[in-house]
Amino acid sequence: MDFRDTGLEFDQNRIEELDQLRREGYPLYPPVFERKDRIREIREKFSAVGHERSEERVVTAGRLYTVRNHGKTIFADLGDERARIQLYIRKNDIGEAHFDFFSRYIERGDIIGIGGYPFRTKLGELTIWVDDIVLLTKSLNSLPEKFHGLTNVEKRYRQRYLDLIMNTEIRETFRMRSLLISEIRSYLTGRDFLEFETPILQPVYGGANARPFTTYHHCLCQNLFLRIAPELYLKRLVIGGFEKVFEIARNFRNEDIDTRHNPEFSMVEIYEAYRDYNDMMALTEGIISHLVHTICGKYQIEFGGGHLDFTPPWRKMSMEDAVRDLAGLDTRSYSLEDLKKIAGDKGIEGYEAATSWRELLVLFFEEMVEGQLIQPTFIYDFPIENSPLAKKHRSKEGFTERFELFICGMEIANGFSELNDPLDQLGRFQRQDDMRKAGDLEAQMLDYDFIDALGYGMPPTGGVGLGIDRLVMLVTNQSSIKEVILFPQMRSEGDATLKSSDKNEAGTP
RNA sequence: GGGCUUGUAGCUUAGUUCGGAAGAGCGACGGACUCUUAAUCCGUAGGUCAAGGGUUCAAAUCCCUUCAGGCCCGCCA
């Protein structure tokens, strides 16, 4: 096997060992190993074992993390998914041939199966007195340093498998991510919601304000967009008669990458007929407090050096009240011109184009209030200008029945009483489309099919979307989204020609 | 897009301030060792100092450009 021109840098010694084993007829890469015990179970079951070897034999498997060879005895540390245990291997016990085989061909990083008897060494370490060893997988790459491990952040993200091998606490973070998602699923399905999958490739994108990724379907001869949100398809399901639906959706937004944004991110979107935004706030509070309590065991958690308390009920404020009480600005008592002057004085950008005081309210909120919302806080009643998919407020002129949940200054959830008036929706879309054609790269497209669907009638419906990645950040106390996404998007490195010549020309308008 | 900052052996790194022969630990390789645990001891090999250019008698070190990261800010309602 020649891999000299592949860029692979396998350890030559290990390659040679492998060749030798093959020549000797050793069964390499066997298909199966009858593992009877997991290390964590062994540790629990034999926690009281003494210096005498246990009568009971265990059979387990895992990766070798360290090997300490003492000549005629070897100590080694074997690790599986959840735990590690020490191995004790003596020439006397396994015989000279077997012992030499181990010394010569089995090393740190290899995956082996073993059998033996638990006991405790004189230094008190629970250990397996090994009587049988099988090489299951020869590793051709040597592991990073045993003490410091892998700390290079870039390498950790690019070679996450190595990060997971070496930094086993990272596995805990992703275990919690997996648990969180399955808890969301069971919470909702336990309340009679149905989970569906809607198109990721969409001819018309919508449901959020964001730039999409564009691709091209050769047989259809048309551009398609990777969805920025599942919203408009899930509402079609409600129109179709499904009353409680949700999707755990990967969304794609063609925007910059930082500690809180990855181009693809996960969200759960939930719609329920005959409910409004108050019900959705209650549902959001119910789900998230349940998640925190289930995963962390309590409602109070630590995050970024501070404390968060998820004990319901959470604080609720209208956007107006939040700006008045937390920023000290009573927007109702000023004229539009005065508010623009205040915005200018505060160095707020983008206020010039505002045509109503409500748009300035949003700017003041974002600039002066968002960062203060550390404990879980619902902000409700958003200006109609910024909420093209939310129903007009039942009593507050110029506002919509929309809310967002903020935790640690981060937007965690966004929901509303869904706009189900087709003509109103058409008008809102037209305004978005005008803005898009005027150069707003994040304004929404006009989705005529969706309007048509609304024309058949959507019941009064409440909807909400929760950002899963950010929830995982909160419960795992991570300040960067890259720490909770297994394979975060990274710029390609190395051969620059790959970037240009492999480019899908048709797919890049 | 802006600011700060990082890149030295497979991994963890010293050396950069103030230019003067690229060092260490782990790992690898050879050897010793029957209760070690970051095992220990003896020996050996391993480097395009991210890449390119410049200044200089002399550059890992100073200057410029580029590449790939990290943190913060902007953008992302």
Side-chain angles (χ1 to χ4, degrees), chain A residues 405-469:
Chain A
L405 171 65
F406 289 90
I407 304 172
C408 284
M410 286 193 290
E411 179 193 332
I412 299 293
N414 179 17
F416 19 93
S417 301
E418 301 296 337
L419 176 54
N420 61 345
D421 174 343
L423 299 178
D424 188 356
Q425 183 68 81
L426 177 62
R428 308 257 204 117
F429 269 157
Q430 281 168 338
R431 183 163 186 269
Q432 287 288 317
D433 210 40
D434 290 344
M435 287 161 61
R436 194 171 60 85
K437 286 171 178 158
D440 184 343
L441 296 169
E442 279 140 18
Q444 302 193 28
M445 291 178 90
L446 211 171
D447 188 337
Y448 286 105
D449 181 73
F450 177 67
I451 303 286
D452 194 36
L454 279 183
Y456 287 95
M458 181 170 83
T461 298
V464 65
L466 311 182
I468 288 176
D469 307 287

Side-chain angles (χ1 to χ4, degrees), chain A residues 179 183 287-299:
Chain A
L179 180 63
E183 282 295 328
I287 293 175
I288 294 178
S289 58
H290 166 79
L291 291 174
V292 170
H293 199 270
T294 303
I295 291 167
C296 305
K298 53 187 191 299
Y299 286 124

Side-chain angles (χ1 to χ4, degrees), chain A residues 297-311:
Chain A
K298 53 187 191 299
Y299 286 124
Q300 294 81 24
I301 63 174
E302 294 198 11
F303 185 80
H307 297 277
L308 296 176
D309 189 349
F310 288 84
T311 311

Side-chain angles (χ1 to χ4, degrees), chain A residues 54 94 187 193 256 290 390 407 427 430 440 477 499 501 504:
Chain A
S54 151
I94 64 172
Y187 188 97
F193 283 87
D256 214 349
H290 166 79
I407 304 172
Q430 281 168 338
D440 184 343
N477 195 12
K499 285 187 205 166
S501 68
N504 179 347

Side-chain angles (χ1 to χ4, degrees), chain A residues 307-501:
Chain A
H307 297 277
L308 296 176
D309 189 349
F310 288 84
T311 311
W314 300 340
R315 181 163 67 160
K316 288 183 184 172
M317 308 176 84
S318 74
M319 184 179 282
E320 269 186 85
D321 290 351
V323 170
R324 189 190 62 218
D325 296 345
L326 298 178
L329 185 63
D330 186 356
T331 44
R332 293 255 188 192
S333 64
Y334 293 93
S335 68
L336 178 61
E337 290 314 309
D338 288 344
L339 287 173
K340 283 192 175 181
K341 186 167 184 313
I342 294 169
D345 291 345
K346 292 193 179 297
I348 295 173
E349 288 176 17
Y351 68 90
E352 299 89 346
T355 54
S356 79
W357 69 275
R358 295 181 299 270
E359 289 167 80
L360 291 164
L361 174 68
V362 172
L363 295 178
F364 288 128
F365 173 77
E366 288 167 356
E367 176 73 20
M368 300 158 73
V369 178
E370 263 189 30
Q372 296 183 48
L373 302 177
I374 304 304
Q375 298 303 321
T377 305
F378 287 110
I379 298 295
Y380 59 87
D381 295 351
F382 281 56
I384 192 165
E385 291 83 356
N386 305 77
S387 309
L389 298 163
K391 184 177 282 206
K392 277 179 184 154
H393 198 280
R394 63 194 73 182
S395 59
K396 208 185 279 187
E397 180 68 27
F399 285 83
T400 57
E401 297 197 353
R402 174 184 181 186
F403 72 89
E404 286 187 352
L405 171 65
F406 289 90
I407 304 172
C408 284
M410 286 193 290
E411 179 193 332
I412 299 293
N414 179 17
F416 19 93
S417 301
E418 301 296 337
L419 176 54
N420 61 345
D421 174 343
L423 299 178
D424 188 356
Q425 183 68 81
L426 177 62
R428 308 257 204 117
F429 269 157
Q430 281 168 338
R431 183 163 186 269
Q432 287 288 317
D433 210 40
D434 290 344
M435 287 161 61
R436 194 171 60 85
K437 286 171 178 158
D440 184 343
L441 296 169
E442 279 140 18
Q444 302 193 28
M445 291 178 90
L446 211 171
D447 188 337
Y448 286 105
D449 181 73
F450 177 67
I451 303 286
D452 194 36
L454 279 183
Y456 287 95
M458 181 170 83
T461 298
V464 65
L466 311 182
I468 288 176
D469 307 287
R470 290 177 180 180
L471 279 175
V472 178
M473 287 170 69
L474 291 173
V475 299
T476 59
N477 195 12
Q478 294 292 345
S479 59
S480 171
I481 202 167
K482 288 194 172 84
E483 295 290 352
V484 302
I485 291 176
L486 279 165
F487 302 98
Q489 200 58 240
M490 305 284 278
R491 198 184 297 268
S492 300
E493 52 181 356
D495 193 349
T497 58
L498 271 179
K499 285 187 205 166
S500 51
S501 68

